[in-house]
Amino acid sequence: MSLEPNANPAARAYQQALMEQGIPATAFQSDDLQAEVRRLRERGVRFTLDPTDAGPVRIAVFADTCGNLIQIYQPVGT
Amino acid sequence: MITPDLLARLCRARRRLESELEFPASIRMLAREAGLTTPHFITQFRAVFGQTPVQCRTRARLERARHELASGKESITQICLALGFDSMGSFSRMFRKRFGCSPRAYRRDCAGPQPSPPGCIGWMNLALSGTEIPAKSPQAPDGKMTR
């Protein structure tokens, strides 16, 4: 994944609005959500949503320090 | 954990930091509005946005300065002072560190409208207006003419 400077005002407004509404910019699948959350927490990552059941998946959301919320999820039963 | 309410308050503080540049609120006031002590506010802000509130404001000031240099008529000194930089020296130093050139060089070399080649619609408008189209047209990567 590549993170680049966001100099486009339109893109920045969209990015900030997503964050203000608590909407993740993207999502990544994890094989072990609990372990991933623990690993990230140990490195100082701040979560906005602790691991939570959401139907067919279990999700967690954190701030990536670049102005985005990132969701990680694990399908239930895996 | 950052609750949705705390996230909203931090986002509000960031919005103020980025937009209120000429008459900025103090960090202590922003912390109070966010319902946090100043040290806790700075810690939480940095954990979420990857920069301290002061760094956030400085970045916004520099970006506004760049915009003003490109589009405004004010002198570099006026821009520097209007945006609250302590001195021309510190402004130039921070500007160069962020954008790779001095404010003066930016205004001289980088600012101003950049001529862009006409696209398909541009060529069509030129043709319809009866303007003589130059014999040598830009070539597409595959070697075909673009008009």
Side-chain angles (χ1 to χ4, degrees), chain A residues 12 16 20 46-47 65, chain B residues 1-2 15 44 49 63:
Chain A
R12 184 177 293 176
Q16 293 191 351
E20 287 173 19
R46 299 298 170 94
F47 279 79
T65 73
Chain B
M1 196 183 88
I2 306 287
R15 202 163 49 239
Q44 297 286 46
F49 299 120
E63 289 178 3

Side-chain angles (χ1 to χ4, degrees), chain A residues 6-7 12 15-17 19-22 41 44-50 63-69, chain B residues 1-4 7-8 11-12 14-15 18 40 43-44 46-51 59-60 63 66 98:
Chain A
N6 187 1
R12 184 177 293 176
Q15 181 191 36
Q16 293 191 351
M19 186 173 221
E20 287 173 19
Q21 293 174 35
R41 277 224 176 91
V45 172
R46 299 298 170 94
F47 279 79
T48 60
L49 180 68
D50 284 333
D64 73 350
T65 73
C66 297
N68 306 296
L69 294 177
Chain B
M1 196 183 88
I2 306 287
T3 63
L7 180 66
C11 285
R12 198 176 310 129
R14 179 178 62 168
R15 202 163 49 239
E18 290 180 341
H40 194 45
T43 304
Q44 297 286 46
R46 186 174 191 175
V48 171
F49 299 120
Q51 57 189 346
R59 189 173 64 98
E63 289 178 3
R66 183 170 68 157
R98 177 150 189 85

Side-chain angles (χ1 to χ4, degrees), chain B:
Chain B
M1 196 183 88
I2 306 287
T3 63
D5 179 54
L6 176 57
L7 180 66
R9 284 181 276 142
L10 291 172
C11 285
R12 198 176 310 129
R14 179 178 62 168
R15 202 163 49 239
R16 291 193 64 184
L17 283 165
E18 290 180 341
S19 61
E20 298 173 10
L21 301 180
E22 285 86 355
F23 305 100
S26 69
I27 303 300
R28 196 175 61 176
M29 183 183 293
L30 291 172
R32 197 183 311 140
E33 284 183 5
L36 303 170
T37 64
T38 302
H40 194 45
F41 172 66
I42 294 171
T43 304
Q44 297 286 46
F45 193 96
R46 186 174 191 175
V48 171
F49 299 120
Q51 57 189 346
T52 65
V54 170
Q55 288 170 333
C56 176
R57 176 178 284 155
T58 300
R59 189 173 64 98
R61 280 176 167 156
L62 288 170
E63 289 178 3
R64 174 82 69 84
R66 183 170 68 157
H67 176 76
E68 296 292 331
L69 285 168
S71 60
K73 296 281 182 277
E74 291 181 325
S75 71
I76 296 174
T77 305
Q78 283 174 317
I79 292 171
C80 164
L81 296 177
L83 290 174
F85 289 99
D86 292 334
S87 68
M88 274 297 290
S90 64
F91 170 54
S92 290
R93 197 164 44 250
M94 284 189 278
F95 192 93
R96 181 187 293 275
K97 188 176 177 187
R98 177 150 189 85
F99 300 118
C101 63
S102 69
R104 194 173 304 281
Y106 182 81
R107 172 163 269 179
R108 187 188 63 223
D109 300 334
C110 311
Q114 301 293 319
S116 56
C120 296
I121 302 294
W123 284 118
M124 191 172 70
N125 285 337
L126 280 174
L128 289 174
S129 68
T131 305
E132 187 177 339
I133 297 173
K136 189 176 181 184
S137 308
Q139 285 196 316
D142 61 0
K144 293 175 183 169
M145 305 302 276
T146 54
R147 63 177 165 121

